[in-house]
Amino acid sequence: MNFSGKLKQPLSPVDATSLQNSPLMGRSGLGKVLLIYVAPEDSNYQMGGKGFYKIVRRPQLGFVYISGTLKRVGIDHDILDQTCELFDERDIIRICREENVAWVGFYTVDALILKVTLFLQRIRKALPEQLLVVGGPGTLLSRPYLDAGADIAVLGEGEYASIELCEYAAGLRDLEDIQNIIYLRDKQIVQTAPREPADLDLLPHPNRDLIDVNMYRDLLIVNNRLPYTTMITSRGCPFTCSFCTSPTVWTRKVRQRSVNNVLEEIDILVSKYGIKYISFQDDIFGLSKRWLVDFCRQLSDRKYDLNWMCILHPTSFRNHRGEMLDHMKEAGLNTISIGVQSADPEVLGNISRREEETELGYELIQEAKARQILTGTAMIVGLPGDTEETIQRSLDFTLRCRPHHAMFYKLTVLKGSPLDTPEKNAIKCSLTNEELQKWVRRATLRFNFDPKVFGQMVVYILRNNPRWLWTAVKVAPTLIGVLGLLKTNGARPDKSDGPPTTCGGYTPLRGGIRSC
């Protein structure tokens, strides 16, 4: 793209107020925005091989938020999700040639860097003048995307940035006046002024009209019901876990949506889309006791046929656990996930966690199990200071704690996380990559096929959701891989093993997609 030229009257940054009076409103010939999610080729964060998306497909929450903002201003746009629709860069090139596309935006994380950069290279070669944008946590390392052909990397939140990008594409805004982006000028990195974090209550509600909610599921949640979707009630996390990028992205600040704002979205999900299950994706759900009690009471009063799950911290509700879990269950909660990460005190200290969290996590899981709430936890192997003994200690903890479900992951050092610094990365794990992979599989097998754990899960499913067993039979090979019985190399959706439909078949992208 040619970034030369300077407007005489620069526009002010887009915010909730200026969004209502955007110069884009009612303007013709603006062009379409394409929002693209490509499925990972390989990842340490999932087992089960190429069929992983037959059992776990989550809608891209950032895209439906951007979609809501674009819809508010009247910008035509599409969402392409490779976990649900079969497409490659040739389809994107075709759409750009056949339609007036203002810009193409890719979501990226560390696990997607190779695939996204490959798409960028091929699209840039075919369409030298097309505006290409990347956004998401992966842009903390932006240079590879810019070198591959991206014009702009968006840092942080994308809602208001998406409008500024449209204004830039329409010739109404200078590039340097788009806040919180990175681009190249004369092969040098340029980063613009940071953007003020948005008031979440003032953002338009996510627009799910461009996705088929019936295509998404999470069979690892055995309580899951369809139609299913994801939500957030907050952004940010107050903790500083060194393996996580949240401290970098959100600087430990938490922004909470109001109870009324969250319930407005739930009302839409139930009435418009018939949603039966919500997976809340907050880093940590319900940090405020007052907020959570109010939310649960108002949701309970609605009497919806709705269940939900959330992510908790081992220290959540430490002085009011029974009371808070009772409120949450009455409001439809039936699953919690708790990230314990390690049961070794020294390893926990190395990742800015506290020794007490292990037992607090144990107590929280037992309180939830006593209320017939499905429990899950996650352990990371390969953390700073990890040895065979410390990993065994974590495995022993999960067997003693006996949550219904436990996942073991090999550490991936995320770009922009505290571990991605010489100071934090000075303490090494003593095991090789191959040894860690073996430990992931060994721990997964040992946990899932412990007689008490296995029996506990079978009884829970039969009592609470026996229909899950019939669905599981249809994707048995993938589930077997997730359980650790098969060696896998991560997910790789392609032309021979494409994204699944609800019937287990594949839906190619034919002649375009849903449009708003």
Side-chain angles (χ1 to χ4, degrees):
M1 292 289 293
N2 181 6
F3 296 134
S4 61
K6 181 74 175 176
L7 296 174
K8 294 182 179 180
Q9 294 181 336
L11 294 176
S12 59
V14 171
D15 56 20
T17 301
S18 61
L19 187 67
Q20 310 302 320
N21 302 299
S22 171
L24 297 174
M25 285 186 171
R27 195 181 183 96
S28 61
L30 292 174
K32 177 182 290 186
V33 174
L34 291 182
L35 302 174
I36 313 292
Y37 179 77
V38 296
E41 292 286 335
D42 190 11
S43 175
N44 290 322
Y45 286 94
Q46 58 200 35
M47 298 179 68
K50 296 198 295 186
F52 185 77
Y53 293 104
K54 293 180 182 178
I55 63 172
V56 177
R57 265 172 282 142
R58 300 185 183 102
Q60 300 308 309
L61 196 51
F63 276 175
V64 294
Y65 260 101
I66 291 175
S67 178
T69 307
L70 292 172
K71 182 178 180 181
R72 174 72 61 84
V73 178
I75 302 296
D76 187 21
H77 61 285
D78 291 329
I79 296 175
L80 281 73
D81 183 348
Q82 206 179 46
T83 68
C84 295
E85 298 176 287
L86 186 59
F87 67 86
D88 60 21
E89 74 282 352
R90 292 169 295 183
D91 296 295
I92 300 171
I93 292 168
R94 173 181 57 79
I95 295 172
C96 290
R97 283 174 172 165
E98 293 177 356
E99 305 182 38
N100 177 22
V101 174
W103 55 274
V104 179
F106 286 88
Y107 173 84
T108 189
V109 291
D110 284 24
L112 291 175
I113 183 170
L114 295 178
K115 194 165 184 181
V116 171
T117 53
L118 181 61
F119 267 64
L120 289 168
Q121 289 168 357
R122 292 175 176 174
I123 296 172
R124 175 58 66 222
K125 183 177 180 180
L127 303 170
E129 297 301 315
Q130 181 63 58
L131 180 59
L132 301 178
V133 181
V134 292
T139 58
L140 291 172
L141 179 66
S142 60
R143 187 71 194 230
Y145 302 103
L146 299 174
D147 288 341
D151 298 299
I152 297 169
V154 177
L155 304 176
E157 296 172 320
E159 290 89 356
Y160 295 147
S162 68
I163 303 302
E164 293 181 357
L165 285 166
C166 291
E167 293 172 346
Y168 168 68
L172 301 175
R173 179 179 293 274
D174 289 317
L175 183 65
E176 56 264 38
D177 290 331
I178 303 176
Q179 292 191 324
N180 219 25
I181 64 168
I182 291 177
Y183 62 96
L184 293 180
R185 177 184 288 157
D186 298 326
K187 299 183 179 180
Q188 299 298 313
I189 290 283
V190 177
Q191 182 169 345
T192 61
R195 184 180 303 279
E196 191 71 23
D199 183 330
L200 300 183
D201 275 7
L202 299 182
L203 289 174
H205 284 309
N207 172 42
R208 295 174 174 84
D209 290 348
L210 302 187
I211 64 173
D212 183 353
V213 296
N214 295 298
M215 295 289 286
Y216 296 95
R217 64 174 64 180
D218 189 343
L219 291 182
L220 296 182
I221 306 173
V222 300
N223 279 326
N224 203 332
R225 303 166 63 205
L226 302 179
Y228 146 91
T229 196
T230 55
M231 271 187 68
I232 56 108
T233 71
S234 65
R235 290 180 183 175
C237 177
F239 297 98
T240 58
C241 306
S242 62
F243 55 83
C244 182
T245 58
S246 185
T248 305
V249 174
W250 306 120
T251 63
R252 297 186 66 186
K253 294 180 181 178
V254 179
R255 284 169 293 152
Q256 180 73 59
R257 297 169 64 186
S258 67
V259 169
N260 287 340
N261 185 263
V262 172
L263 291 171
E264 283 175 5
E265 184 178 348
I266 292 176
D267 292 341
I268 294 170
L269 292 176
V270 173
S271 63
K272 185 174 183 178
Y273 303 104
I275 294 297
K276 301 289 187 183
Y277 202 95
I278 297 172
S279 176
F280 287 103
Q281 297 296 298
D282 305 48
D283 287 336
I284 301 174
F285 186 82
L287 286 167
S288 163
K289 178 186 176 184
R290 177 179 297 180
W291 183 96
L292 186 55
V293 169
D294 188 18
F295 168 76
C296 290
R297 286 176 176 166
Q298 291 199 50
L299 182 56
S300 298
D301 290 343
R302 279 165 162 76
K303 307 296 182 185
Y304 286 147
D305 181 18
L306 179 73
N307 292 108
W308 49 280
M309 68 86 63
C310 65
I311 301 167
L312 300 179
H313 190 271
T315 60
S316 292
F317 327 132
R318 60 186 303 171
N319 298 319
H320 310 278
R321 283 184 170 158
E323 174 191 356
M324 299 310 294
L325 288 172
D326 287 340
H327 282 302
M328 295 164 76
K329 184 176 181 182
E330 184 178 353
L333 172 78
N334 63 15
T335 303
I336 61 170
S337 175
I338 304 168
V340 178
Q341 318 308 351
S342 176
D344 183 81
E346 184 174 342
V347 172
L348 286 171
N350 291 339
I351 59 172
S352 301
R353 299 286 288 263
R354 292 179 291 177
E355 179 180 349
E356 65 174 352
E357 292 178 15
T358 303
E359 287 307 308
L360 290 174
Y362 175 90
E363 294 167 5
L364 180 54
I365 288 172
Q366 304 315 309
E367 289 269 16
K369 286 171 61 178
R371 290 163 172 78
Q372 286 295 299
I373 296 171
L374 189 79
T375 57
T377 191
M379 293 289 183
I380 302 176
V381 303
L383 290 167
D386 252 341
T387 64
E388 291 198 344
E389 290 73 23
T390 63
I391 297 172
Q392 183 64 54
R393 187 171 293 119
S394 294
L395 174 57
D396 291 342
F397 168 80
T398 61
L399 292 171
R400 176 173 69 90
C401 183
R402 208 184 310 152
H404 297 89
H405 187 59
M407 294 292 284
F408 297 85
Y409 302 105
K410 187 179 81 65
L411 173 70
T412 293
V413 178
L414 301 175
K415 298 300 179 182
S417 68
L419 277 184
D420 187 36
T421 60
E423 178 184 354
K424 287 289 186 179
N425 207 18
I427 304 173
K428 302 292 184 182
C429 168
S430 65
L431 304 178
T432 66
N433 184 66
E434 183 179 357
E435 289 171 330
L436 291 172
Q437 294 283 19
K438 288 180 178 178
W439 263 107
V440 168
R441 186 165 184 265
R442 183 188 309 169
T444 301
L445 279 169
R446 178 68 181 87
F447 177 82
N448 285 317
F449 292 97
D450 176 84
K452 292 182 179 179
V453 170
F454 189 82
Q456 169 185 256
M457 181 61 94
V458 170
V459 170
Y460 189 93
I461 293 171
L462 291 175
R463 285 180 176 175
N464 295 278
N465 191 15
R467 293 182 180 180
W468 180 90
L469 293 172
W470 174 243
T471 306
V473 168
K474 299 178 183 178
V475 291
T478 303
L479 278 175
I480 289 172
V482 172
L483 292 175
L485 288 175
L486 296 176
K487 293 183 179 180
T488 62
N489 294 314
R492 184 187 173 90
D494 56 26
K495 295 291 184 181
S496 62
D497 189 11
T501 68
T502 52
C503 298
Y506 305 110
T507 304
L509 182 66
R510 298 185 184 275
I513 50 181
R514 292 171 300 281
S515 178
C516 180

